Amino acid sequence: MISGNKVIPSMGFGLWKISQDDCATAVYNAIKEGYRHLDSASDYGNEKQVGEGIKLAIEDGLCSREDLWVTSKLWNSFHAKEHVELALQKSLDDLQLDYLDLYLIHFPIASKFIPIETRYPPEWIADPDGPNPRLELAPVPLMETWQAMEAVYEKGLAKQIGVCNYNSGLLHDLMSYAKIKPSMLQIESHPYLTQEKLIRLAKQYNMAVTAFSPLGALSYLELDMAGAAESVIEQKIVKKAALRTGKTAAQVVLRWGVQRGTAIISKTTQPERLIENIDIFDFELNEEEMTAISALNINRRFNDPGDFCEAAFNTFNPIYD
């Protein structure tokens, strides 16, 4: 998949929810198994360990820096123009890198600024120890944030810039004022949430698309944000395609993701799963299978601030209708 002037590897290794204790080893093992696309974020709280894994992999000759595509994301509390470069530089320092291949606005949500020396990563709640711990929004226009993103791009700190979790209306608006156009849209997408219109719009704007949570519910079971019965790998059409191709059900779903033209972000710390997840480039799903898997769409969104912000952070804050 092309994003800007560099090819982003279709299979990414996601760092969300990987503990600090496991992260450096997980990154090293992922690179060892052939992953070259690492999807990080300041909010994941493990970028120092990601940097350690990258450094060790390069020192051991598994790859060069130029071989890697490293993405990170601007957290909500750093949306003001004076804070964007500050946040990016913190990620670079933790990752032990001179530049990012891609820097993304994590959410179209601006929250109260928390100094790095006060708490890092800031997470969602402005004052966890206060009398009313909650998400506190900040009056920062997305246009201001994007202009600051353009500035770090122009400095060479990020080779490309883009957005996460934007809807079609926000994309139209962004394209009306962006001097440097976003090269990437990262969104939740899987067979239960195909987002075909949004993906088509992004491509119409010459944006590449990365799908996070490509296996749907499996990323959210441990957070109680999904039920086991919602697992797409249990669907008959998925199992039937797995039987035909001699692959696992998870590999079929991941293959569907890349075959429809998106990069995908998978996550695991299990060595056998690392190998399984990336082993999806020696087979193809036929047209009937692709159509049937796409038809599983029920617009089921697992990662929705309109749901989790109120429950977890005492603030109702939907960004999707």
Side-chain angles (χ1 to χ4, degrees):
M1 170 177 286
I2 303 294
S3 177
N5 297 320
K6 187 174 179 180
V7 178
I8 181 172
S10 294
M11 173 60 75
F13 181 65
L15 286 308
W16 182 43
K17 296 187 302 174
I18 297 183
S19 71
Q20 293 181 357
D21 290 342
D22 296 333
C23 191
T25 298
V27 168
Y28 183 90
N29 288 339
I31 293 172
K32 185 177 180 181
E33 295 300 338
Y35 292 81
R36 293 296 180 264
H37 171 186
L38 303 175
D39 186 76
S40 184
S42 65
D43 186 55
Y44 300 165
N46 55 15
E47 287 196 316
K48 284 186 177 180
Q49 292 74 28
V50 174
E52 291 168 5
I54 291 173
K55 183 174 184 289
L56 184 58
I58 292 174
E59 288 176 348
D60 285 357
L62 299 182
C63 65
S64 68
R65 170 63 185 96
E66 292 71 29
D67 293 331
L68 296 176
W69 177 290
V70 182
T71 296
S72 188
K73 306 178 188 79
L74 176 76
W75 186 240
N76 305 340
S77 55
F78 298 110
H79 271 220
K81 60 185 177 183
E82 65 268 25
H83 298 146
V84 171
E85 184 175 343
L86 176 76
L88 173 51
Q89 192 59 57
K90 172 61 174 169
S91 285
L92 289 176
D93 291 344
D94 286 350
L95 293 166
Q96 302 183 57
L97 300 177
D98 296 323
Y99 67 90
L100 293 172
D101 295 278
L102 176 65
Y103 198 43
L104 301 170
I105 296 175
H106 203 149
F107 283 97
I109 299 171
S111 62
K112 181 180 178 180
F113 173 65
I114 308 296
I116 289 172
E117 57 271 21
T118 299
R119 188 173 72 250
Y120 189 86
E123 300 181 325
W124 291 83
I125 295 176
D127 184 5
D129 299 320
N132 182 28
R134 59 192 295 271
L135 166 64
E136 295 183 27
L137 300 178
V140 182
L142 288 172
M143 181 177 179
E144 176 181 323
T145 306
W146 186 254
Q147 289 172 341
M149 294 284 286
E150 293 174 329
V152 296
Y153 169 86
E154 289 172 340
K155 288 187 175 183
L157 299 176
K159 300 298 184 182
Q160 297 180 39
I161 52 177
V163 295
C164 296
N165 301 303
Y166 270 44
N167 59 29
S168 57
L170 290 179
L171 279 190
H172 286 306
D173 188 56
L174 172 58
M175 287 299 181
S176 73
Y177 58 73
K179 294 179 180 177
I180 298 169
K181 304 301 183 184
S183 64
M184 179 67 71
L185 171 66
Q186 185 175 127
I187 53 172
E188 178 183 348
S189 189
H190 42 76
Y192 289 158
L193 183 69
T194 56
Q195 303 230 61
E196 291 177 359
K197 290 181 180 178
L198 182 57
I199 291 173
R200 180 179 174 184
L201 177 65
K203 292 181 178 180
Q204 183 172 296
Y205 277 130
N206 296 317
M207 297 174 68
V209 177
T210 299
F212 67 80
S213 303
L215 293 173
L218 291 183
S219 297
Y220 300 95
L221 293 175
E222 65 192 80
L223 301 175
D224 293 325
M225 293 167 68
E230 295 182 282
S231 177
V232 70
I233 63 175
E234 298 300 324
Q235 288 284 350
K236 290 182 180 179
I237 178 57
V238 173
K239 290 183 174 181
K240 182 179 178 182
L243 184 63
R244 182 188 71 80
T245 58
K247 294 290 185 174
T248 67
Q251 286 173 317
V252 167
V253 176
L254 294 175
R255 178 66 202 182
W256 171 85
V258 299
Q259 199 167 313
R260 69 197 292 248
T262 64
I264 59 175
I265 303 298
S266 67
K267 171 257 173 182
T268 184
T269 56
Q270 301 176 37
E272 65 274 13
R273 290 283 186 263
L274 274 177
I275 297 170
E276 176 184 333
N277 288 349
I278 204 171
D279 186 25
I280 61 169
F281 297 99
D282 60 351
F283 76 105
E284 288 190 0
L285 299 174
N286 60 40
E287 184 176 349
E288 179 182 353
E289 290 163 340
M290 289 292 295
T291 299
I293 293 173
S294 295
L296 295 173
N297 178 58
I298 52 174
N299 297 319
R300 172 63 164 107
R301 189 185 303 277
F302 295 101
N303 194 328
D304 189 344
D307 293 329
F308 67 74
C309 278
E310 185 171 27
F313 313 124
N314 300 315
T315 304
F316 179 55
N317 190 53
I319 60 174
Y320 309 110
D321 295 332

